[in-house]
């Protein structure tokens, strides 16, 4: 079957509600890179039908953020998804997703208020709302999401559980460039020097892992060392935090369930990364 | 088929998701009166399978409100629903609907912030959240709700539309006692004198209709007249408002699309009522 592009919510619903098959869904904002494609490949392996949505969701961007500037390449995306054998691309208009008078917001308290939720206070409300809508429209069995947005997965798992939605999130590992930089649509904003500087995130992770294996368990020791790696490479720190992997709770001491979370500005581009302390 | 009582979310979901039939749903907080039963009867007429939920939802009560005191009579309810030929009663535990760590809230802005939303600021957030959960669990084609809670219907219609839920609300007319008092589980709190006083709500509606038919279009004239009817009968006014029936917008002048909304304390019991200006 050839890939079909669907623009209308009703058409998407009528297609998916009928299916008596395992349905895999990959929600994206487009400008696809190998990270997204790894999600699609996983979905293709596990499901009968694979649907990818491409929607740059305005409600998860604050007015001062990069919505207008967010990279787009629909034709390029379509080519990549066709090659991977995706069945449907859901590509709705903003005016259909948020029509005049739109008033409803899904908010996950707690887990959405730390890390990126602190730096971007309305971000996760926008994410939870659009994903709730997309899940209701597509009604997938499985939803594939990358661990680069680790907190997003935690927020959405909580939302699906709390709202009694039966879709199951399949978290997929971060895909990195050869030198370790986590793939991101925003990497395209980096110039040559910044691309080099951006390695400070992955280098911080590697440094932390080495120190952990050497026996370091003290957060107060590690944070200044990571700060140094980042600032030496012209990065501006948004946050460096160690938290539990399952519910993102703050911790006193490092252990095997700890995850390191980083958000760093390289120039005007905000990059995030995260990793467990033991390399996978 | 005999009525089945279902306590578990998973069991309810497995039953309803399989059905290839028209499914009608009546969400209630129990202590059923003829108003509720009229919803069930309508559902029985229009649907193949009828599910009634009985759940006193704690999140729609403020700490100072009457949650602990809210009347309950599960055995009596079950008897009434059996007589009407209901197929399933969904009767979940609070700890299953709101387990430890519960964090997700569905909020409808605008239409939920006026009238009862002003007097009871967190009320509709609780209502939207529980109905979103119930709709996800029961997955009904039609949901039957009484126009006594007219604003609730407006809020939930907005929520269903915004979140792309396909359940359709069927609004049903207010059922009244022979003397005009709108049926409500809270009427049981009224003593003999208060039961008499409570007629001030319906009398205000009747007075307004008469004055409208006489040609009165001026809100500023009518409000003091209604105030007088209510206070003469020992009622304490929460609000008297005229708004558009479709989106509850405030208006300057009465017309055929206007609806009168009342909330009045009779003793400690808060009663609400509403009506279009032309009797139906």
């Amino acid at each position: 079957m050839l890939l079909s592009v669907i623009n209308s919510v009703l058409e998407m619903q009528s297609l998916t509600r009928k299916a008596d098959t395992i349905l895999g869904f990959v929600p994206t904002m487009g400008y696809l890179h190998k990270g997204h494609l790894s999600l699609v490949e996983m979905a293709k392996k596990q499901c009968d039908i694979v649907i990818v949505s491409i929607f740059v969701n305005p409600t998860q961007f604050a007015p001062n953020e990069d919505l207008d500037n967010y990279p787009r390449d629909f034709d390029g995306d379509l080519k990549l998804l066709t090659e991977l054998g995706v069945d449907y691309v859901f590509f709705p208009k903003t005016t259909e997703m948020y029509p005049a008078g739109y008033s409803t917001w899904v908010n996950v308290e707690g887990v959405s208020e730390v890390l990126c939720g602190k730096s971007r206070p309305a971000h996760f409300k926008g994410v939870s709302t659009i994903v709730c809508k997309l899940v209701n429209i597509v009604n997938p069995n499985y939803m594939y999401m990358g661990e680069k947005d680790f907190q997003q997965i935690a927020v959405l798992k909580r939302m699906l559980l709390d709202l009694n939605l039966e879709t199951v999130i399949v978290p997929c590992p971060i895909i990195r460039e050869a030198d370790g930089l986590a793939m991101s649509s925003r990497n395209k904003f980096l110039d040559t020097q910044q691309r080099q500087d951006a390695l400070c995130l992955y280098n911080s992770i590697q440094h932390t892992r080495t120190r952990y294996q050497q026996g370091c368990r003290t957060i107060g020791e590690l944070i200044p060392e990571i700060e140094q790696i980042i600032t030496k490479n012209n990065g501006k720190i948004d946050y460096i935090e160690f938290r539990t992997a399952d519910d993102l709770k703050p911790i006193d001491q490092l252990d095997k369930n700890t995850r390191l979370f980083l958000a760093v500005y390289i120039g005007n581009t905000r990059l995030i990364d995260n990793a467990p302390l033991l390399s996978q």
Side-chain angles (χ1 to χ4, degrees), chain A:
Chain A
M1 196 177 83
L2 277 175
L3 178 149
S4 302
V5 176
I6 293 171
N7 300 99
S8 130
V9 168
L10 280 182
E11 193 187 347
M12 190 76 250
Q13 284 177 324
S14 70
L15 272 168
T16 55
R17 296 286 153 112
K18 265 184 238 154
D20 192 22
T21 45
I22 300 297
L23 213 136
F25 177 47
V26 184
T28 82
M29 300 212 298
Y31 206 75
L32 305 177
H33 52 65
K34 285 183 191 160
H36 298 108
L37 302 184
S38 75
L39 305 177
V40 174
E41 282 162 3
M42 186 69 91
K44 282 294 291 180
K45 259 184 223 160
Q46 300 184 341
C47 305
D48 302 315
I49 302 274
V50 173
I51 298 175
V52 175
S53 67
I54 297 182
F55 182 65
V56 181
N57 175 37
T59 67
Q60 70 193 67
F61 291 81
N64 62 327
E65 290 180 348
D66 57 355
L67 171 62
D68 294 337
N69 206 19
Y70 197 85
R72 288 162 170 86
D73 179 12
F74 185 66
D75 294 339
D77 292 345
L78 224 51
K79 193 164 164 288
L80 292 168
L81 297 175
T82 305
E83 281 165 15
L84 290 181
V86 162
D87 300 284
Y88 300 101
V89 171
F90 182 48
F91 183 58
K93 288 208 172 67
T94 303
T95 50
E96 190 172 5
M97 295 303 273
Y98 297 108
Y102 187 93
S103 313
T104 305
W105 303 101
V106 178
N107 195 34
V108 179
E109 295 177 350
V111 68
S112 76
E113 294 164 26
V114 298
L115 300 172
C116 288
K118 223 166 169 176
S119 321
R120 308 179 69 189
H123 173 67
F124 285 116
K125 191 169 90 167
V127 170
S128 308
T129 301
I130 193 65
V131 173
C132 181
K133 286 168 65 64
L134 288 170
V135 163
N136 287 335
I137 293 166
V138 174
N139 202 18
N141 301 83
Y142 298 102
M143 178 159 63
Y144 295 81
M145 309 198 100
E147 288 191 331
K148 179 161 155 291
D149 299 306
F150 197 87
Q151 186 181 9
Q152 173 171 282
I153 293 177
V155 169
L156 294 174
K157 273 187 176 172
R158 185 79 246 176
M159 179 195 75
L160 294 171
L161 182 72
D162 284 352
L163 295 186
N164 305 100
L165 290 159
E166 293 180 286
T167 298
V168 172
I169 294 183
V170 182
C172 300
I174 297 176
I175 303 297
R176 301 182 179 279
E177 304 286 355
D179 59 5
L181 180 67
M183 298 222 178
S184 163
S185 303
R186 290 189 172 99
N187 291 349
K188 76 158 281 199
F189 297 135
L190 305 171
D191 65 26
T192 314
Q193 177 60 46
Q194 289 172 336
R195 174 66 184 76
Q196 193 57 35
D197 292 339
L199 283 178
C200 67
L201 286 97
Y202 187 61
N203 290 342
S204 298
I205 289 170
Q206 293 299 69
H207 175 79
T208 303
R209 284 172 162 174
T210 305
R211 294 281 282 113
Y212 183 75
Q213 282 184 329
Q214 288 167 353
C216 173
R217 297 289 178 270
T218 315
I219 293 172
E221 269 177 44
L222 269 169
I223 298 270
E225 295 171 14
I226 298 172
E227 281 174 350
Q228 204 185 13
I229 294 171
I230 292 171
T231 49
K232 257 195 176 170
N233 288 278
N234 311 307
K236 207 184 106 216
I237 295 159
D238 182 357
Y239 60 73
I240 304 167
E241 292 201 39
F242 292 94
R243 290 182 172 262
T244 57
D246 50 350
D247 53 4
L248 308 189
K249 288 267 189 300
I251 47 167
D252 293 326
Q253 272 225 321
L254 308 182
D255 64 32
K256 64 180 165 37
N257 296 316
T258 302
R259 215 168 166 101
L260 167 62
F261 295 89
L262 299 171
V264 171
Y265 283 93
I266 303 293
N268 292 320
T269 305
R270 186 172 174 281
L271 301 178
I272 58 174
D273 205 338
N274 69 86
L277 299 190
L278 297 167
S279 56
Q280 286 165 319

